[in-house]
Amino acid sequence: MNAYVNPLAGGDAVFAPFDTSSVIVDYIRRTTFDHPTLVVHRDTVARQYRALKAGLGRADIHYAVKANPTREIIELLIAEGSHFDAASRGEIELCLGLGAHPAHISFGNTVKRASDIAFAHGAGITLFAADCDMELEKIATHAPGAEVYIRLLVGATGADWPLSRKFGCAPEMAGDLMGRARELGLKPVGLSFHVGSQTRRAEMWRETLDQVAGVWAEARATGFDLDMINIGGGFPAFYGEEIEAPQAYAAQVMAMVEPRFPGATRVMAEPGRGMVAEAGMIAAEVLLVSRKSEDDICRWVYLDIGKFSGLAETMDEAIRYQFLTEREHEATGPCILAGPSCDSADVLYEKRPVAMPLGLQSGDRIIIRNCGAYTSSYSSVGFNGFPPLEVVVI
Ligand SMILES: Cc1ncc(COP(=O)(O)O)c(C=O)c1O
């Protein structure tokens, strides 16, 4: 069972550059699952952390908990020395409960519940993100005197999963917001941005870094003594298209960061996907194979997992997962892949069909590769009565 059905390459076998996947595949083959299950391999998370850290050098890694909040992952990362980027009280409580130091947790969501800010402040968290006046006012009220960094809106970089519109302020607003933070008794210490998730090549950061460096220079020239740059996430995972190895990628990014942010004694990076995606595979099952008409070119393959049970990142077919079947020697044909729910939006890949073995049957095991990030944390609770994605850590 080792043929990767690569949706991008029409069924050609593709192998990851750092393939420890056989441990997970072996485990899945030996195990019976009642429901779709994400199997996460601890050692791969540790390996990714160490590789990213080696490349990032003096930067502190704040793991983006949202990518995969499984307890064992957080525990392992605490032991490795990681810090954490939290999006909510729930994530903060998770990290604190497992022993993370409050000084190692940043509250990076720019849209925070006031009571969550108060909770974080009470728990000893001192670093908060903001991108507008109202958020600064909330922070000043509920976490007086806190350090804040201003999140900037940056141009699209070509990331596969862009985050460019919802968060951040226009670069020209940053100075006013820092001034406002000061008036409110907060400490404006730095800037943050996100190049977009799954930015496949380090070189794609350059333009964004230039843009942010301009804001940095202007802020410092106008009297803001900034000392912290938060470079966010964007570190890629292997989904079939070539990516650079994590250490080399991170080192290239840092080589571009260093000359651009003079005075930045603190550099933060917030990898999510790059930390955990390659550490997980989903054991799933084919529920049905059908054709809509006699002369249909594509078969419809319905899996027991879909957009609402973990594969939300197939939205717009942005993230192209790889599938592994037990029919490695069979010829393949194009398939439209869909989830099990009674919702017509629950189609995974249709614009670019996936080559699947011709003999695929109901009950066949499917392994979905490199999906340790943004799957379990996206899965709905009980939509159509399906349980949320189970997680097993090995
Ligand atoms: C503030 C923040 N930091 C980091 C991340 C992680 O990004 P990635 O998974 O691309 O590393 C995200 C993802 O949404 C984010 O919102």
Side-chain angles (χ1 to χ4, degrees):
M1 190 189 194
N2 55 12
Y4 295 117
V5 180
N6 176 14
L8 292 167
D12 289 351
V14 168
F15 293 92
F18 326 98
D19 207 352
T20 56
S21 57
S22 55
V23 178
I24 310 181
V25 172
D26 287 350
Y27 176 84
I28 291 176
R29 290 177 72 181
R30 282 187 276 108
T31 310
T32 306
F33 301 95
D34 290 335
H35 301 289
T37 301
L38 172 65
V39 178
V40 177
H41 186 226
R42 265 196 195 85
D43 292 353
T44 304
V45 179
R47 184 202 67 196
Q48 290 296 110
Y49 175 83
R50 289 173 196 167
L52 287 167
K53 183 65 189 149
L56 287 165
R58 73 184 182 96
D60 287 325
I61 291 185
H62 283 238
Y63 169 61
V65 178
K66 58 178 80 71
N68 191 326
T70 302
R71 295 173 69 85
E72 290 90 337
I73 293 178
I74 306 297
E75 279 168 346
L76 179 154
L77 290 174
I78 291 172
E80 290 287 333
S82 184
H83 299 187
F84 298 92
D85 161 54
S88 65
R89 173 174 178 160
E91 288 189 354
I92 292 170
E93 285 181 316
L94 172 71
C95 295
L96 290 175
L98 295 174
H101 195 284
H104 294 169
I105 301 173
S106 47
F107 202 164
N109 193 343
T110 51
V111 188
K112 295 178 279 301
R113 184 175 286 281
S115 57
D116 284 10
I117 298 172
F119 170 81
H121 178 64
I125 287 159
T126 56
L127 189 57
F128 296 79
D131 64 3
C132 67
D133 280 339
M134 195 180 283
E135 192 68 14
L136 287 171
E137 286 156 17
K138 275 155 53 183
I139 297 170
T141 305
H142 300 284
E147 291 189 329
V148 288
Y149 53 92
I150 303 299
R151 177 148 172 190
L152 302 177
L153 200 56
V154 291
T157 56
D160 290 351
W161 188 263
L163 296 165
S164 49
R165 277 178 35 76
K166 184 171 171 187
F167 307 103
C169 66
E172 56 276 15
M173 279 175 67
D176 286 350
L177 289 175
M178 286 184 266
R180 181 74 185 125
R182 223 187 232 166
E183 278 167 27
L184 289 164
L186 298 169
K187 298 185 197 93
V189 293
L191 301 174
S192 77
F193 62 92
H194 197 301
V195 283
S197 201
Q198 188 65 5
T199 294
R200 269 176 279 112
R201 285 176 293 104
E203 185 55 34
M204 292 160 81
W205 287 61
R206 187 178 295 277
E207 228 178 287
T208 301
L209 289 170
D210 284 341
Q211 196 184 347
V212 178
V215 180
W216 178 270
E218 194 173 329
R220 283 176 58 93
T222 51
F224 293 102
D225 196 16
L226 304 186
D227 69 0
M228 195 281 288
I229 181 73
N230 178 350
I231 66 173
F235 302 83
F238 182 77
Y239 295 118
E241 283 192 82
E242 195 180 340
I243 57 166
E244 291 146 348
Q247 180 173 342
Y249 181 105
Q252 268 192 74
V253 170
M254 277 307 278
M256 289 186 274
V257 166
E258 289 295 4
R260 286 174 172 76
F261 299 97
T265 53
R266 292 184 280 173
V267 181
M268 283 166 61
E270 301 177 332
R273 186 186 306 282
M275 188 81 84
V276 290
E278 293 180 18
M281 293 200 200
I282 289 174
E285 194 180 305
V286 174
L287 297 184
L288 187 68
V289 182
S290 69
R291 286 185 200 272
K292 301 291 176 197
S293 66
E294 296 288 315
D295 52 0
D296 211 348
I297 296 169
C298 287
R299 287 162 297 154
W300 281 71
V301 172
Y302 298 89
L303 304 179
D304 62 352
I305 182 167
K307 272 210 165 70
F308 305 104
S309 39
L311 303 182
E313 289 203 315
T314 56
M315 207 186 301
D316 297 328
E317 307 192 11
I319 297 296
R320 306 277 308 182
Y321 294 112
Q322 296 173 291
F323 302 90
L324 181 57
T325 77
E326 297 186 39
R327 298 176 180 275
E328 58 187 276
H329 300 302
E330 286 186 17
T332 61
C335 294
I336 296 169
L337 230 57
S341 68
C342 301
D343 191 310
S344 57
D346 193 8
V347 175
L348 308 175
Y349 300 118
E350 182 172 17
K351 284 186 280 187
R352 291 159 71 197
V354 180
M356 286 276 182
L358 293 174
L360 210 62
Q361 294 296 323
S362 168
D364 276 9
R365 167 68 55 77
I366 293 273
I367 295 180
I368 311 172
R369 195 157 177 255
N370 291 0
C371 49
Y374 304 113
T375 49
S376 56
S377 51
Y378 263 141
S379 112
S380 68
V381 179
F383 182 54
N384 277 210
F386 297 116
L389 184 58
E390 281 181 30
V391 182
V392 170
V393 179
I394 59 172

